[in-house]
Amino acid sequence: MEDIILWLKYLFLGFVQGATEPIPVSSSGHLIIAQKLLGLKQNGLSFEILTNTASLIAICFIFRKDIGRLITGFVQFILTRKEEYMSDFMFSLYIIIGTMPAVIVALFFKDQIEEIFSSVHTVSIALLVTGVALWLIRNLRGRKQDGDLKAKDAVIVGLAQAVALIPGISRSGATVISSIAVGMKQETALRFSFMLYIPISLGGLVMGASDIASDPNRAQLAIPYLIAFITTLIVTYFSMRWFMGIMAKGNLKYFSYYCFLAGILLLIFM
């Protein structure tokens, strides 16, 4: 019976991660809250890396055509210098530029950030900040498409992604908000945001592989971890598809309401 209860807890954690990773409400913040409510404490980063990898696989599958096109265009432009590949080459280059701030901050400050900010109180404040930012850009409708981006746009969005290393600050929220704020169209903002997610998540997987390998609870939690992984994979896919529809309609204000409500309730009750 205890095993079944444990499996259900990890099923719930996987659902929380999958549901909140694509949308602008902070998956890391929700996992902190969920673990507290369930009485679970994760030692190390192996669980976080595992569930992030499941979300990464789902998002890569959804954007597989864009990924393939960008890789092809990047390589072909280097080899041929043909104008037809210029837009994809520059978009790929801006993804690299936009990834760097978060990489630098993660390499030097990630442990300190998690130690200082990984509390429910911090998550509640961060959700309120995210809510304010979503509210401020709720009516913006940019015009920039893939070929209109500049290096400064990539840097600004990259800095926003670095700030999102603070638990409770949504990564997708920070990057989508900053993308829209610099004038990108909804579709371009969504694509650029999640193209930035892919290299940062791959880097986290590579850097954290040793955490998974050395996890002392690896054998004991193999089944719960597998349940969480599969759940996260499936739920991320459907959550991402749903969020793409929301972005197409420009209804980000509803996430703002949610962040305000969740942040206030956390401050009052936790």
Side-chain angles (χ1 to χ4, degrees):
M1 188 64 181
E2 289 183 3
D3 286 343
I4 294 176
I5 292 174
L6 184 64
W7 295 351
L8 289 174
K9 287 182 177 180
Y10 276 88
L11 176 71
F12 180 69
L13 289 181
F15 180 87
V16 170
Q17 164 66 23
T20 57
E21 179 60 57
I23 64 179
V25 298
S26 177
S27 60
S28 61
H30 278 73
L31 277 180
I32 290 173
I33 297 165
Q35 289 174 29
K36 185 175 179 65
L37 290 173
L38 295 174
L40 293 173
K41 182 174 177 59
Q42 303 297 332
N43 296 316
L45 297 173
S46 57
F47 179 76
E48 179 185 342
I49 294 166
L50 190 73
T51 52
N52 275 332
T53 301
S55 289
L56 174 64
I57 293 170
I59 289 170
C60 283
F61 179 77
I62 290 172
F63 286 100
R64 63 192 182 280
K65 291 182 180 179
D66 291 297
I67 295 169
R69 191 193 75 249
L70 289 171
I71 292 174
T72 300
F74 187 83
V75 173
Q76 286 296 327
F77 181 78
I78 292 174
L79 295 176
T80 67
R81 290 293 194 274
K82 289 183 178 179
E83 186 68 25
E84 63 187 283
Y85 300 116
M86 170 68 84
S87 178
D88 288 336
F89 172 81
M90 295 305 300
F91 194 84
S92 301
L93 184 61
Y94 293 146
I95 291 170
I96 295 171
I97 293 171
T99 300
M100 296 312 298
V103 170
I104 293 169
V105 172
L107 284 174
F108 293 102
F109 303 110
K110 192 172 193 298
D111 292 339
Q112 294 91 322
I113 289 172
E114 290 180 346
E115 182 179 347
I116 296 171
F117 295 107
S118 291
S119 69
V120 174
H121 184 264
T122 300
V123 170
S124 63
I125 298 297
L127 282 170
L128 292 174
V129 171
T130 300
V132 170
L134 286 166
W135 179 257
L136 290 175
I137 59 94
R138 68 192 184 283
N139 294 323
L140 294 182
R141 297 292 182 272
R143 296 183 177 181
K144 291 182 181 178
Q145 302 185 52
D146 292 13
D148 301 320
L149 304 187
K150 304 296 181 185
K152 67 177 182 179
D153 300 328
V155 171
I156 291 171
V157 179
L159 289 171
Q161 180 167 250
V163 172
L165 291 172
I166 299 174
I169 298 292
S170 167
R171 191 218 64 84
S172 65
T175 51
V176 166
I177 289 166
S178 55
S179 294
I180 292 174
V182 299
M184 294 186 203
K185 293 181 66 174
Q186 303 281 348
E187 181 182 351
T188 301
L190 182 73
R191 183 161 48 250
F192 192 66
S193 171
F194 285 95
M195 290 300 105
L196 284 178
Y197 169 77
I198 292 170
I200 204 71
S201 294
L202 284 173
L205 174 61
V206 172
M207 292 178 61
S210 59
D211 286 279
I212 298 176
S214 61
D215 188 340
N217 300 314
R218 184 179 54 187
Q220 178 186 356
L221 294 176
I223 294 178
Y225 275 22
L226 179 62
I227 290 171
F229 182 90
I230 294 173
T231 305
T232 300
L233 179 69
I234 295 171
V235 176
T236 298
Y237 175 84
F238 288 103
S239 180
M240 185 71 235
R241 287 293 188 189
W242 176 69
F243 184 53
M244 291 169 77
I246 294 292
M247 282 289 290
K249 297 175 183 177
N251 291 332
L252 290 175
K253 62 182 179 182
Y254 297 112
F255 294 110
S256 176
Y257 300 153
Y258 174 84
C259 288
F260 287 140
L261 178 62
I264 291 170
L265 289 176
L266 287 174
L267 283 175
I268 295 173
F269 295 108
M270 297 185 72

